[in-house]
Amino acid sequence: MLKGKVALITGATRGIGKAIALKFAENGADIALNYRSDNEALRTLVSELEDKGVKVLPVQGDVSVLEDANKIVKEAVDGLGKLDIVVNNAGITKDGLIVRMKEEDFDAVIDTNLKGTFNMMKATSSIMMKQRSGKIINISSVVGLVGNAGQSNYSASKAGIIGLTKSIARELGGRGINVNAIAPGFIQTDMTDVLSDKIKESMESTIPLKRLGNPEDVANLALFLGSNLSDYITGQVIAVDGGMTMN
Ligand SMILES: NC(=O)c1ccc[n+]([C@@H]2O[C@H](COP(=O)([O-])OP(=O)(O)OC[C@H]3O[C@@H](n4cnc5c(N)ncnc54)[C@H](O)[C@@H]3O)[C@@H](O)[C@H]2O)c1
């Protein structure tokens, strides 16, 4: 489905980003793999992806810094020749009730999740505009749609990503560029591993499909949005949440 395409995925060494990288590589895309710091997981993933017969280029950088975002995109294009798909997946949480939340915890989450997504779209847009094609996929969250106690910083960042997605979809639509957001529900990754079994069980009972999601559930939608099958879809926010937030 993605043969001949080049995809850049941020925060790609584990969790949802890793699942998207594997899914894209299985479907023939060459992969630029953004990471913040070199580690064993990165090296293992690079060889796992190479085994699928595609080109793989690790690109270091912190998406919350615009200079880094420019460098990540430049290295990807210089190394792999072009850029067809960008998945803005890098994200962090620093949870706490508003009365206890530190200003720096609010700023850090906004800087990585929201500004990081802005930085990457800014760095990518002119390249895709010149190509007159491209797919931008932003990873938001269901909490950006419905809110969550204890996650005001994270929910605000993810709601902001939805506003960014819709605005940039309007700006770039005329150039053949699709911009969409995925809103995952409760997906089992390192990010959610910190929650107790009790919380996980009570979450599960509220999900119509009666199970937590896995990274591949999100990667399947990313594959569709990254492929030509989504050519007439832009500015949308699609939940992958087992029905949790249906209305
Ligand atoms: N797991 C869930 O239930 C869930 C639900 C909704 C949305 N999401 C979103 O999905 C995305 C992936 O989440 P995950 O569960 O795989 O989390 P994760 O913590 O396993 O992965 C996040 C990745 O982002 C990287 N990262 C963080 N800050 C970065 C920065 N400034 N620059 C570059 N990379 C950076 C991390 O190193 C890590 O590899 C995040 O945006 C998250 O908010 C996750």
Side-chain angles (χ1 to χ4, degrees), residues 29-63:
D30 292 333
I31 308 286
L33 209 59
N34 161 249
Y35 66 98
R36 230 178 354 173
S37 47
D38 194 2
N39 58 38
E40 192 54 39
L42 170 72
R43 288 188 287 276
T44 309
L45 179 60
V46 169
S47 63
E48 226 179 308
L49 290 167
E50 282 171 345
D51 286 348
K52 297 187 188 298
V54 299
K55 287 187 206 146
V56 185
L57 181 74
V59 283
Q60 192 280 329
D62 177 341
V63 297

Coordinates of all heavy atoms in Angstrom, one line a residue, residues 29-63:
A29 N 7.0 1.2 2.7 CA 7.5 2.6 2.9 C 8.9 2.6 3.4 O 9.2 1.8 4.3 CB 6.6 3.4 3.8
D30 N 9.8 3.5 2.9 CA 11.0 3.7 3.5 C 10.7 4.6 4.7 O 9.8 5.5 4.7 CB 12.0 4.5 2.6 CG 12.4 3.6 1.4 OD1 12.4 2.3 1.6 OD2 12.7 4.1 0.3
I31 N 11.5 4.5 5.8 CA 11.2 5.1 7.1 C 12.3 6.0 7.6 O 13.4 5.5 7.8 CB 10.9 4.0 8.2 CG1 9.9 2.9 7.7 CG2 10.5 4.6 9.5 CD1 8.5 3.4 7.6
A32 N 11.9 7.2 7.9 CA 12.8 8.1 8.8 C 12.2 8.0 10.2 O 11.1 8.3 10.4 CB 12.8 9.5 8.2
L33 N 13.1 7.6 11.1 CA 12.7 7.2 12.4 C 13.2 8.3 13.4 O 14.4 8.3 13.7 CB 13.4 5.9 12.7 CG 12.8 4.9 13.6 CD1 11.5 4.4 13.2 CD2 13.8 3.7 13.7
N34 N 12.4 9.2 13.8 CA 12.9 10.2 14.8 C 12.9 9.6 16.2 O 12.0 8.9 16.7 CB 11.9 11.4 14.8 CG 12.1 12.3 16.0 OD1 11.2 12.4 16.8 ND2 13.3 12.9 16.2
Y35 N 14.0 10.0 16.9 CA 14.2 9.6 18.3 C 14.9 10.8 19.0 O 15.5 11.6 18.4 CB 15.1 8.3 18.4 CG 16.5 8.6 17.9 CD1 17.5 8.8 18.8 CD2 16.8 8.6 16.5 CE1 18.8 9.1 18.4 CE2 18.1 8.8 16.1 CZ 19.1 9.1 17.0 OH 20.3 9.3 16.6
R36 N 14.7 10.8 20.3 CA 15.3 11.9 21.1 C 16.7 11.5 21.6 O 17.7 12.2 21.4 CB 14.5 12.2 22.3 CG 14.2 13.7 22.4 CD 13.3 14.0 23.5 NE 12.7 12.9 24.2 CZ 12.0 13.0 25.3 NH1 11.8 14.2 25.9 NH2 11.5 11.9 25.9
S37 N 16.9 10.3 22.2 CA 18.2 9.8 22.5 C 18.4 8.4 22.1 O 17.5 7.6 22.2 CB 18.5 10.0 24.0 OG 17.4 9.5 24.7
D38 N 19.7 8.1 21.7 CA 20.0 6.8 21.2 C 19.9 5.8 22.3 O 20.2 6.0 23.4 CB 21.5 6.9 20.8 CG 21.9 5.7 19.9 OD1 21.0 4.8 19.6 OD2 23.1 5.6 19.5
N39 N 19.3 4.6 22.0 CA 19.2 3.5 23.0 C 19.1 2.2 22.3 O 18.9 2.1 21.0 CB 18.1 3.8 23.9 CG 16.7 3.9 23.2 OD1 16.5 3.2 22.2 ND2 15.9 4.8 23.7
E40 N 19.1 1.1 23.1 CA 19.1 -0.2 22.5 C 17.8 -0.5 21.7 O 17.8 -1.1 20.7 CB 19.1 -1.2 23.7 CG 19.4 -2.6 23.4 CD 20.6 -2.9 22.5 OE1 21.7 -2.2 22.8 OE2 20.6 -3.7 21.6
A41 N 16.7 0.1 22.2 CA 15.4 -0.1 21.5 C 15.4 0.4 20.1 O 14.9 -0.2 19.2 CB 14.3 0.5 22.3
L42 N 16.1 1.6 20.0 CA 16.2 2.2 18.6 C 17.0 1.3 17.7 O 16.5 1.0 16.6 CB 16.9 3.5 18.7 CG 17.3 4.2 17.4 CD1 16.1 4.7 16.7 CD2 18.3 5.3 17.6
R43 N 18.1 0.8 18.2 CA 19.0 -0.1 17.3 C 18.2 -1.4 16.9 O 18.3 -1.8 15.8 CB 20.3 -0.4 18.0 CG 21.2 0.9 18.0 CD 22.6 0.6 18.5 NE 22.6 0.3 20.0 CZ 22.7 1.3 20.9 NH1 22.8 2.5 20.6 NH2 22.7 1.0 22.2
T44 N 17.5 -2.0 17.9 CA 16.8 -3.2 17.6 C 15.7 -2.9 16.5 O 15.5 -3.7 15.6 CB 16.1 -3.7 18.9 OG1 17.1 -3.8 19.9 CG2 15.4 -5.1 18.7
L45 N 15.0 -1.8 16.7 CA 13.9 -1.4 15.8 C 14.5 -1.2 14.3 O 13.9 -1.6 13.4 CB 13.1 -0.2 16.2 CG 12.0 0.3 15.3 CD1 10.9 -0.8 15.1 CD2 11.3 1.5 15.9
V46 N 15.6 -0.5 14.3 CA 16.2 -0.2 13.0 C 16.5 -1.6 12.2 O 16.1 -1.7 11.1 CB 17.5 0.6 13.1 CG1 18.3 0.6 11.7 CG2 17.2 2.0 13.5
S47 N 17.1 -2.5 12.9 CA 17.3 -3.8 12.2 C 16.1 -4.6 11.9 O 15.9 -5.2 10.9 CB 18.4 -4.7 12.9 OG 17.9 -5.1 14.2
E48 N 15.1 -4.5 12.8 CA 13.8 -5.1 12.5 C 13.1 -4.5 11.3 O 12.6 -5.2 10.4 CB 12.8 -4.8 13.7 CG 12.1 -6.0 14.2 CD 11.2 -5.7 15.4 OE1 11.7 -5.0 16.4 OE2 10.0 -5.9 15.4
L49 N 13.2 -3.2 11.1 CA 12.6 -2.6 9.9 C 13.4 -2.9 8.7 O 12.8 -3.2 7.6 CB 12.6 -1.0 10.1 CG 11.6 -0.5 11.2 CD1 11.9 0.9 11.5 CD2 10.2 -0.6 10.7
E50 N 14.8 -2.9 8.8 CA 15.6 -3.2 7.6 C 15.3 -4.6 7.1 O 15.4 -4.9 5.9 CB 17.1 -3.1 8.0 CG 17.5 -1.6 8.0 CD 18.9 -1.3 8.5 OE1 19.5 -2.2 9.2 OE2 19.4 -0.2 8.3
D51 N 15.0 -5.5 8.1 CA 14.7 -6.9 7.7 C 13.4 -7.0 6.8 O 13.2 -8.0 6.1 CB 14.4 -7.8 8.9 CG 15.7 -8.1 9.7 OD1 16.8 -7.9 9.1 OD2 15.6 -8.6 10.8
K52 N 12.7 -5.9 6.8 CA 11.5 -5.9 6.0 C 11.8 -5.4 4.5 O 10.9 -5.2 3.7 CB 10.4 -5.1 6.6 CG 9.9 -5.7 8.0 CD 8.8 -5.0 8.6 CE 8.5 -5.5 10.0 NZ 8.2 -6.9 10.1
G53 N 13.1 -5.1 4.3 CA 13.5 -4.8 2.9 C 13.3 -3.3 2.5 O 13.3 -3.0 1.4
V54 N 13.2 -2.5 3.5 CA 13.0 -1.0 3.2 C 14.2 -0.3 3.7 O 15.0 -0.8 4.6 CB 11.7 -0.4 3.8 CG1 10.5 -1.2 3.3 CG2 11.7 -0.5 5.4
K55 N 14.4 1.0 3.2 CA 15.4 1.9 3.8 C 15.0 2.5 5.1 O 13.8 2.9 5.2 CB 15.7 3.0 2.8 CG 16.4 2.6 1.5 CD 16.8 3.8 0.7 CE 17.0 3.5 -0.7 NZ 16.6 4.5 -1.6
V56 N 15.9 2.5 6.0 CA 15.6 3.1 7.4 C 16.7 4.1 7.7 O 17.9 3.9 7.6 CB 15.6 2.0 8.4 CG1 15.1 2.5 9.8 CG2 14.7 0.8 8.0
L57 N 16.2 5.3 8.1 CA 17.1 6.4 8.5 C 16.7 6.9 9.9 O 15.7 7.6 10.0 CB 17.0 7.5 7.5 CG 18.0 8.7 7.7 CD1 19.4 8.3 7.4 CD2 17.5 9.9 6.9
P58 N 17.6 6.6 10.9 CA 17.3 7.2 12.2 C 17.6 8.7 12.2 O 18.7 9.1 11.7 CB 18.2 6.5 13.2 CG 18.8 5.4 12.4 CD 18.7 5.7 11.0
V59 N 16.8 9.6 12.7 CA 17.0 11.0 12.8 C 16.8 11.5 14.2 O 15.7 11.5 14.7 CB 16.2 11.8 11.7 CG1 16.8 11.7 10.4 CG2 14.8 11.5 11.7
Q60 N 17.9 12.0 14.8 CA 17.8 12.5 16.2 C 17.2 13.9 16.2 O 17.4 14.7 15.3 CB 19.2 12.5 16.8 CG 19.3 12.6 18.3 CD 19.1 14.1 18.7 OE1 19.5 15.0 18.0 NE2 18.6 14.3 19.9
G61 N 16.4 14.2 17.3 CA 16.0 15.5 17.5 C 14.8 15.6 18.4 O 14.0 14.7 18.6
D62 N 14.7 16.8 19.1 CA 13.6 17.1 20.0 C 12.6 17.9 19.3 O 12.8 19.1 18.9 CB 14.2 17.8 21.2 CG 13.2 18.2 22.2 OD1 12.0 18.3 21.9 OD2 13.6 18.5 23.4
V63 N 11.4 17.4 19.1 CA 10.4 18.0 18.3 C 9.9 19.4 18.9 O 9.4 20.2 18.2 CB 9.1 17.1 18.0 CG1 9.5 15.9 17.2 CG2 8.4 16.8 19.3

